[in-house]
Amino acid sequence: MSASLDAKTLEAAAQWYVDLCDGDESLREAHRQWLCSDPRHGQAWARVERLQSTLGRVTADIARPTLASARMKRRTTLKVLTLLIGAGGVTAAGLQVSPWRNALADYRTGTGERRQVRLADGSDLQLNTASAVDVRYDERLREVRLREGEILVQTAGDSRARPFVVHTPHGSIRALGTRFLVRSDDSGAQVSVLQHAVEVRPTLAPERVTRVDAGQRLVFSREAAGSAEPLPGGSDAWTRDQLVVSDWRLDDFLAELARYRQGHLGCDSRVAGLRISGAFQLHDTDTVLDNLSGTLPVRVRRLTRYWVQVEQA
């Protein structure tokens, strides 16, 4: 098994298994294309096939009408994923962001969901799509641990003057009386400062402190931080249920939109470099996709509601 086979790839394989067990023949072609799109997909599916007898016992006792429930499908997918991970070969980084670990987080959101939380000191925390956080306050510190996803933090004053720190797998951000966004995934993390300033410390180089002021964004990894750059407009638009872009490549736009919908959303390489600008409503991504052909020379091909490809018209 390749060492690059992570928990996210295995989750996709588990979801495919559960969907195909539901008997929808229209998924077969979409599944075939998923297998062909990345060698790791074939590796993950091979593990599914090796565990076929065990997996069969997971879903055999679930009637099809019940399995059609989105919640039941999600639970069954997690059971299958647990079995696949138990077979070994998943990277430690993948485990940190796998759904079954995020289910234990203090606060979390599913794909396409957003949530607002008022913390004990009066600070506000907003979770974007597919995000998970833990909160820990003690006598010395106010700490938020972002397991995965994106949050908006609005800090409140603290009578005990305890520092407010957000931790990610790639480093920590100390608030300097501020309002800011933090986003983290497998590739790295970024902080976008809307008010006041923050200090960033990479996990493996905590002595290298980088200050980021209002109107700036900083991308950082476990080893180092980049240089602060101007904050793009609309960075916090998701808090208003919008995606705002200015002269984005189409493939980048679709990759961002994909964070807010279930299933596969792909982009044909022949149209990937087309440019797009505008404000788009995140609560109805299907309408956003349908409207693309009105402004760009593209067509949207759907094999199922969970498999969508934007292609050349």
Side-chain angles (χ1 to χ4, degrees):
M1 182 62 60
S2 168
S4 65
L5 185 57
D6 59 19
K8 285 189 174 181
T9 304
L10 289 176
E11 182 194 9
Q15 184 167 341
W16 274 116
Y17 175 80
V18 173
D19 287 345
L20 292 171
C21 281
D22 203 27
D24 188 345
E25 291 300 320
S26 67
L27 290 175
R28 299 292 174 181
E29 174 60 18
H31 176 248
R32 186 191 67 78
Q33 295 196 33
W34 176 77
L35 286 175
C36 295
S37 65
D38 190 315
R40 292 173 298 178
H41 297 171
Q43 294 172 14
W45 192 248
R47 183 178 292 179
V48 171
E49 292 177 329
R50 286 198 298 272
L51 293 175
Q52 189 72 34
S53 60
T54 302
L55 295 176
R57 290 195 294 273
V58 173
T59 55
D61 60 339
I62 300 174
R64 182 161 298 164
T66 305
L67 188 59
S69 157
R71 178 173 296 179
M72 180 57 72
K73 278 193 173 186
R74 185 61 177 164
R75 289 177 180 172
T76 309
T77 299
L78 293 180
K79 290 180 182 178
V80 175
L81 177 60
T82 300
L83 287 171
L84 294 177
I85 288 175
V90 182
T91 64
L95 288 174
Q96 292 301 316
V97 295
S98 61
W100 60 272
R101 279 189 180 266
N102 285 348
L104 302 176
D106 292 339
Y107 304 103
R108 61 190 180 275
T109 54
T111 299
E113 296 178 342
R114 282 168 292 282
R115 182 177 182 182
Q116 185 163 1
V117 179
R118 175 63 61 89
L119 302 181
D121 65 335
S123 297
D124 284 323
L125 184 66
Q126 293 189 52
L127 282 71
N128 199 0
T129 177
S131 300
V133 300
D134 297 316
V135 178
R136 181 176 180 270
Y137 281 21
D138 61 24
E139 293 301 314
R140 298 184 305 106
L141 284 174
R142 297 174 291 168
E143 296 177 290
V144 172
R145 185 169 301 277
L146 177 59
R147 294 174 178 232
E148 181 184 33
E150 184 174 20
I151 56 175
L152 170 66
V153 180
Q154 173 72 63
T155 60
D158 184 57
S159 60
R160 287 175 281 181
R162 293 170 297 176
F164 192 107
V165 181
V166 176
H167 300 287
T168 77
H170 307 281
S172 63
I173 302 101
R174 177 170 174 162
L176 302 177
T178 188
R179 182 170 181 261
F180 60 102
L181 299 154
V182 183
R183 179 167 168 174
S184 179
D185 57 29
D186 291 346
S187 63
Q190 68 178 34
V191 58
S192 303
V193 182
L194 303 172
Q195 295 176 3
H196 303 292
V198 302
E199 291 178 344
V200 175
R201 292 171 172 83
T203 298
L204 300 181
E207 73 285 356
R208 300 176 185 170
V209 181
T210 303
R211 180 185 171 102
V212 188
D213 291 304
Q216 293 182 325
R217 177 177 67 180
L218 181 76
V219 176
F220 60 97
S221 67
R222 292 168 59 86
E223 295 79 18
S227 299
E229 57 187 30
L231 181 63
S235 296
D236 63 341
W238 61 265
T239 65
R240 302 182 294 277
D241 200 33
Q242 289 186 325
L243 172 59
V244 176
V245 302
S246 177
D247 197 35
W248 281 29
R249 283 175 57 95
L250 180 59
D251 55 352
D252 290 337
F253 170 76
L254 293 175
E256 186 68 13
L257 191 68
R259 297 175 61 213
Y260 298 89
R261 53 182 290 124
Q262 297 282 357
H264 167 83
L265 174 57
C267 182
D268 190 319
S269 60
R270 292 172 294 179
V271 298
L274 295 175
R275 315 302 292 196
I276 186 169
S277 300
F280 304 89
Q281 299 300 315
L282 291 173
H283 68 270
D284 190 356
T285 57
D286 283 321
T287 296
V288 173
L289 292 170
D290 290 340
N291 289 338
L292 285 179
S293 59
T295 56
L296 296 172
V298 300
R299 71 183 183 104
V300 177
R301 183 163 66 98
R302 290 180 170 87
L303 292 182
T304 75
R305 59 178 296 190
Y306 300 109
W307 197 97
V308 180
Q309 185 82 359
V310 177
E311 302 176 338
Q312 190 173 42

